[in-house]
Amino acid sequence: MQRRTYLKGAAGAAATFTMAGCLGGGGDTITIGSDIPYRPFEYRTTENELVGFDVDIAQAVFTDELGYEHEFQETSFDTIIGSLNNGNFRVIMSAMTITEDRAEEIDFSDPYFTAYQTAIVLNSSDISSKEDLRGVAVGVQKGTTGESAAKSLKEEFDGDLTIQSYDQVTGAFDALRNNQVSAVINDNTVNAEFAEQSDNVRFLEGTGAAEEQGKENAPPYLTFTVEEYGIGFRKDDDELREEVNGALQTIRDNGTYDEIYSKYFSG
């Protein structure tokens, strides 16, 4: 399913959040490693409730369809794969793009979301095209495909690009606000969430990867990549992965996926 992805600005239902809980896969509780905050996929409300698109999908898949209890465990994104393989939690659900390099270390579910790497800039910026990024500093989150997209752009610019990497995407957004970077390269929906909450941020426009790949309903702004998110599993966890793939298909077929999608995105 291809959709034009815009934020709708709705909050999701609360989910159980713990910093510890059942590790790695014993019993009937599935622990989910996730980098938090990463709006609109996983983040806390002012009442400290964990909400987001991934949070609601986890509820639908693991609990409503498969009958497991589940709990989210906060972890850094740039170490999340190693933490999974060390048994710190059972699965990864953290707006993670399926890539060949990651698939060498872990297995993925079937894709459950399409995303695009994009750039946002301040409204006051004179940057109006991809070429205008040449020679500036861009902010990214460590270990993400946004960082990879920035590195590819740096190669395209023959090294004429400065990349500032932050532990969390919020650090990159703060750097943009404070004029420490000229742009942030990150997932379109997360950039859109930040732009929606700010009155001085805009997407960098232009044609890109989505149009080149012939994506239907491509976003109306510059896209560096087209990506698919997946749930991550250790290599020896085939039974659970197959169960999750079945549950993902079920919630697509019965309309639950579309209901959750419409809470966070429109178009």
Side-chain angles (χ1 to χ4, degrees), residues 233-252:
F233 301 82
R234 290 191 290 272
K235 289 285 188 180
D236 60 355
D237 211 357
D238 292 343
E239 183 176 350
L240 179 61
R241 181 172 54 83
E242 291 171 3
E243 288 180 356
V244 166
N245 281 339
L248 284 170
Q249 188 59 54
T250 296
I251 67 170
R252 286 186 182 277

Side-chain angles (χ1 to χ4, degrees), residues 52-240:
F53 180 80
D54 278 351
V55 176
D56 285 6
I57 293 292
Q59 173 68 32
V61 167
F62 290 108
T63 299
D64 297 345
E65 291 298 325
L66 299 179
Y68 295 108
E69 296 296 323
H70 72 280
E71 54 193 25
F72 278 78
Q73 182 172 326
E74 185 171 2
T75 190
S76 173
F77 193 85
D78 62 336
T79 60
I80 199 169
I81 288 178
S83 294
L84 173 69
N85 285 330
N86 286 337
N88 294 340
F89 34 81
R90 184 74 180 269
V91 302
I92 294 169
M93 201 163 183
S94 191
M96 176 171 274
T97 299
I98 301 169
T99 69
E100 291 182 1
D101 288 344
R102 289 171 179 166
E104 291 179 358
E105 299 183 73
I106 61 174
D107 286 336
F108 284 98
S109 69
D110 294 337
Y112 71 95
F113 193 86
T114 301
Y116 308 87
Q117 289 303 313
T118 59
I120 53 172
V121 298
L122 297 178
N123 285 338
S124 58
S125 172
D126 58 3
I127 295 173
S128 60
S129 69
K130 183 176 77 170
E131 184 62 28
D132 291 337
L133 294 173
R134 188 183 294 272
V136 307
V138 299
V140 299
Q141 183 177 5
K142 291 179 182 176
T144 64
T145 48
E147 185 177 52
S148 298
K151 289 178 179 177
S152 295
L153 185 62
K154 185 171 183 175
E155 291 180 6
E156 181 181 335
F157 288 167
D158 297 320
D160 195 12
L161 183 74
T162 300
I163 301 172
Q164 300 288 352
S165 298
Y166 299 87
D167 290 334
Q168 293 187 319
V169 73
T170 50
F173 291 151
D174 287 343
L176 180 65
R177 282 194 191 100
N178 295 325
N179 291 299
Q180 295 167 319
V181 298
S182 297
V184 171
I185 296 178
N186 197 58
D187 295 354
N188 62 311
T189 49
V190 180
N191 273 349
E193 176 83 13
F194 175 69
E196 185 176 85
Q197 295 179 7
S198 307
D199 58 4
N200 63 338
V201 175
R202 59 180 167 84
F203 276 99
L204 186 59
E205 296 185 357
T207 58
E211 290 82 4
E212 291 168 5
Q213 296 184 30
K215 290 296 182 181
E216 186 178 346
N217 295 325
Y221 38 73
L222 176 66
T223 54
F224 296 100
T225 66
V226 179
E227 304 174 354
E228 301 286 349
Y229 291 169
I231 301 170
F233 301 82
R234 290 191 290 272
K235 289 285 188 180
D236 60 355
D237 211 357
D238 292 343
E239 183 176 350
L240 179 61

